[in-house]
Amino acid sequence: DQQVKQNSPSLSVQEGRISILNCDYTNSMFDYFLWYKKYPAEGPTFLISISSIKDKNEDGRFTVFLNKSAKHLSLHIVPSQPGDSAVYFCAATGANNLFFGTGTRLTVIP
Amino acid sequence: NAGVMQNPRHLVRRRGQEARLRCSPMKGHSHVYWYRQLPEEGLKFMVYLQKENIIDESGMPKERFSAEFPKEGPSILRIQQVVRGDSAAYFCASSFTQYEQYFGPGTRLTVT
């Protein structure tokens, strides 16, 4: 049972434009959400997180939005850069462990 | 300020052998987690440990898999009598709180 879902396996964006990655979850007990970036043959790198008491968190080019009523979160990257090309995983937690989505492969075209 | 260390990075085992994967958490982190990633899938939680204690092993297969985090030394994930289906990338993460987890580079286990 996949409690965290990323329905878009891939996304291509022009350099300088906005990238929007989406994530849905089913468990209303989740209270903390994270985005990780992963390059091949490396471990996931923490990017940004948001608590369920907020609806937005911003860190430089990265902004995460949380819509609790829709059980949906999104990651906005603006402006997108070629170095942002990677697989992005969203994750959620309410207790001891993280539940991960299956990832979205972002390609930023120069 | 070293990150999470895992070794070996690559491990090849024949069916029936044992695999031992090691993880050293970031300095100051007392929470350690193990995840497994199969090809084309997301990471799946296996076990959560604090020093000398298993807190949650709900994601770990009941047979052949065990984990420990001793008072001294790294955390160890042990897989006995490996089978081809155990071939995967195994990631360790550590955290200071229970939320933001920082991952190591992973161990890629191949069972031949």
Side-chain angles (χ1 to χ4, degrees):
Chain A
D1 180 29
Q2 190 72 22
Q3 297 190 52
V4 178
K5 297 178 184 177
Q6 292 175 259
N7 292 320
S8 297
S10 63
L11 174 69
S12 291
V13 171
Q14 284 293 134
E15 180 178 3
R17 299 289 189 107
I18 184 170
S19 296
I20 300 176
L21 296 96
N22 294 303
C23 179
D24 297 292
Y25 62 95
T26 57
N27 190 338
S28 57
M29 298 301 290
F30 289 148
D31 62 0
Y32 202 79
F33 304 87
L34 308 91
W35 283 94
Y36 286 86
K37 175 180 177 181
K38 187 178 182 302
Y39 294 115
E42 294 185 13
T45 302
F46 169 73
L47 266 180
I48 192 169
S49 61
I50 188 167
S51 163
S52 60
I53 61 172
K54 293 186 174 182
D55 55 18
K56 178 183 173 182
N57 188 26
E58 193 172 349
D59 183 2
R61 297 186 297 115
F62 301 91
T63 303
V64 55
F65 295 91
L66 175 63
N67 182 334
K68 279 192 301 181
S69 61
K71 293 191 178 71
H72 177 82
L73 66 155
S74 60
L75 175 67
H76 293 207
I77 307 173
V78 56
S80 301
Q81 298 173 355
D84 295 330
S85 296
V87 178
Y88 289 78
F89 290 95
C90 70
T93 184
N96 294 327
N97 56 283
L98 294 175
F99 290 86
F100 281 85
T102 50
T104 296
R105 182 177 302 278
L106 173 66
T107 302
V108 180
I109 304 162
Chain B
N1 185 17
V4 178
M5 311 282 283
Q6 286 188 252
N7 67 83
R9 293 294 307 275
H10 300 274
L11 182 61
V12 179
R13 284 288 177 266
R14 290 201 178 97
R15 276 182 299 170
Q17 290 185 318
E18 178 180 286
R20 277 183 179 243
L21 290 65
R22 287 176 289 276
C23 168
S24 297
M26 286 179 70
K27 189 175 180 180
H29 286 188
S30 59
H31 303 262
V32 166
Y33 312 80
W34 286 93
Y35 293 83
R36 174 164 66 176
Q37 185 181 25
L38 296 170
E40 307 303 322
E41 293 188 14
L43 282 75
K44 295 282 198 286
F45 167 76
M46 298 181 75
V47 61
Y48 161 41
L49 310 103
Q50 293 184 25
K51 281 286 186 183
E52 299 185 278
N53 288 304
I54 296 174
I55 308 301
D56 182 351
E57 55 182 347
S58 59
M60 199 150 69
K62 297 284 185 285
E63 310 273 330
R64 303 188 296 108
F65 285 73
S66 62
E68 62 176 11
F69 188 16
K71 189 175 178 182
E72 302 290 338
S75 175
I76 306 284
L77 179 67
R78 184 179 174 209
I79 311 172
Q80 294 178 289
Q81 298 173 329
V82 295
V83 301
R84 289 225 169 96
D86 296 332
S87 295
Y90 291 83
F91 292 96
C92 166
S94 73
S95 67
F96 180 67
T97 68
Q98 284 181 252
Y99 290 109
E100 289 169 13
Q101 298 179 17
Y102 294 85
F103 284 79
T107 294
R108 270 141 194 88
L109 172 66
T110 302
V111 179
T112 60

